[in-house]
Amino acid sequence: MTSTPIAMATRREQAVRAAVQQGLLGPDQPVVGLLDVAGIRAAAAGLRAAFEEVVAPGTPVLHAFAVKAASLVPVLRLLADEGLGCEVASPGELALARAAGVTPDRIVLDSPAKTAAELREALDLGIAVNADNPQELDRLGTLVGHRATPPAPLGLRINPQVGGGSIDALSTATATSKFGVALQDPGAREWVVRAFTERPWLTRLHAHVGSQGCPLELMAAGIRVAYELAEEINEAVGRRQIDALDIGGGLPVNFASDEVTPDYREYAQLLRNTVPGLFDGRYALVTEFGRSLLAKSGLVLARVEYAKSAGGRPIAVTHAGAQLATRTVFAPDAWPLRVAAYDAEGRPKAAGPDGPIAQDIAGPCCFAGDLIARDRPLPELAPGDLVALLDTGAYYFSNHFAYNSLPRPGVYGFDTTEGEVRFATVRPPQTVGEIVAESGAAYALGLTRLR
């Protein structure tokens, strides 16, 4: 299955128009999230195909979707139908994966701060675990006890310390990253080899270099470090104790156009050239891609409530701001978004005779920096028009920032067949009553009674 930029753009235009016509967006619902189901399916198929090209026949490969990128049960179920599992990093994410019907053998638990209860639950369910540090590994060992064969694969995360990309917060293989065992620290490599020697039930290595802003070559260098360490450990213990490598995810996304670049095939081919032994069939593989599977297939569609100006700068005030595009608002240089303009009926809006007008696109939050785009050339926007924030299928729907108690918008998947657009609810719009309830309404008198 393929999804070309033209096809993606065509489906997007159809969905925007249909969302207006079918009442998903309007004066009473001024912001909505849309997910292109065909695009998601194509991304999943592209991932599977890319690794099938490079691995030896019969090699077990688990593509575990990073749930944090889209913690929505229908999305996880769709990906499971496409052959993907789940990588989870909290009890909540684990519960979502199970609610989506993902079986324990297709779930991997990663987190730098797992409690004993989380580890025990994972072992009881038969879920794979990657320990983050020596203390957690000891805790895991206590829970495993004297069993030679734990109920699920257990591994150790290492930090290959190969360096960071252009976004510090998303670079997990720097010298001082909080994740994993820092392999180049004095004595660390020797400790890792000894840890495996002393724990025959430890059978996996996990490494993840980072995501957005990390070049593919840096990611491949980190995976090569993990592979070479696995070879060293297996030689030290005299058998193939490590039988699987978890190579993480992190494929960056192009936010500048509809073009999908880089793609999974490019990355898989680079890995084959950089770490050829990774694919010869001796090691099962686990991947943990997230953003790259969903980003291109989502858009936030918001109504322009007002159009004003300040200091000669036109400002379109919309209902999509920091509560949805948190990273874009607070770190615009690292997380710029494309903005598309539509009229009130959902048709692409054309610029006037003088061409596009430089405008600010503002959100609804009560602080001055709540801007999605600054001085952006667009057709002049008017009240009732719509703006679409593109490439927002990952993180923007599932990591809501509840500033000003703004409600989470409804999210809908769409499918286009022979020009007809059908929608399916992924998550209904949050109601004001739900906001009040989760803000402690049932305990309204609790503090006044503390006298």
Side-chain angles (χ1 to χ4, degrees), residues 309-332:
S309 66
R313 173 79 58 82
I315 303 171
V317 181
T318 79
H319 291 271
Q323 88 278 24
L324 296 173
T326 312
R327 286 174 169 173
T328 296
V329 169
F330 289 109

Side-chain angles (χ1 to χ4, degrees), residues 357-438:
I357 304 297
Q359 302 160 78
D360 286 354
I361 310 300
C365 298
C366 284
F367 65 94
D370 186 28
L371 297 172
I372 296 297
R374 300 168 188 258
D375 207 21
R376 185 74 60 88
L378 288 167
E380 187 171 10
L381 294 164
D385 285 344
L386 308 175
V387 297
L389 313 184
L390 307 184
D391 306 326
T392 48
Y395 292 98
Y396 289 86
F397 298 156
S398 61
N399 292 268
H400 190 82
F401 176 35
Y403 198 94
N404 289 139
S405 294
L406 288 163
R408 292 185 293 271
V411 180
Y412 303 89
F414 67 86
D415 179 61
T416 60
T417 304
E418 297 180 356
E420 179 187 359
V421 181
R422 296 179 300 152
F423 291 100
T425 300
V426 174
R427 181 188 66 202
Q430 186 181 29
T431 67
V432 171
E434 289 169 336
I435 294 174
V436 173
E438 72 176 27

Side-chain angles (χ1 to χ4, degrees), residues 430-451:
Q430 186 181 29
T431 67
V432 171
E434 289 169 336
I435 294 174
V436 173
E438 72 176 27
S439 297
Y443 310 98
L445 298 178
L447 297 182
T448 64
R449 291 170 178 160
L450 291 177
R451 295 181 179 175

Side-chain angles (χ1 to χ4, degrees), residues 143-154:
L143 294 172
V144 169
H146 298 291
R147 288 179 288 188
T149 305
L154 304 178

Side-chain angles (χ1 to χ4, degrees), residues 216-218 220 265-275:
L216 300 190
E217 293 76 12
L218 184 69
R265 187 176 186 276
E266 179 181 349
Y267 182 46
Q269 296 291 340
L270 175 64
L271 285 176
R272 183 175 65 177
N273 294 335
T274 306
V275 201

Side-chain angles (χ1 to χ4, degrees), residues 13 26 60 78 91 94 97 111 132 136 182 194-195 232 273 285 322 330 339 351 353 355 366 370 379 390 440 447 450:
E13 304 303 334
L78 175 63
L94 173 56
S111 164
D132 179 81
E136 185 172 277
R194 189 167 63 253
E232 179 181 340
N273 294 335
L285 295 177
F330 289 109
V339 179
C366 284
D370 186 28
L390 307 184
L447 297 182
L450 291 177

Side-chain angles (χ1 to χ4, degrees), residues 50-67:
F51 277 80
E52 287 169 1
E53 286 184 20
V54 296
V55 299
T59 302
V61 180
L62 171 62
H63 296 296
F65 173 70
V67 172

Side-chain angles (χ1 to χ4, degrees), residues 342-357:
Y342 298 85
D343 66 18
E345 296 182 5
R347 298 171 301 196
K349 187 163 187 175
D354 295 329
I357 304 297

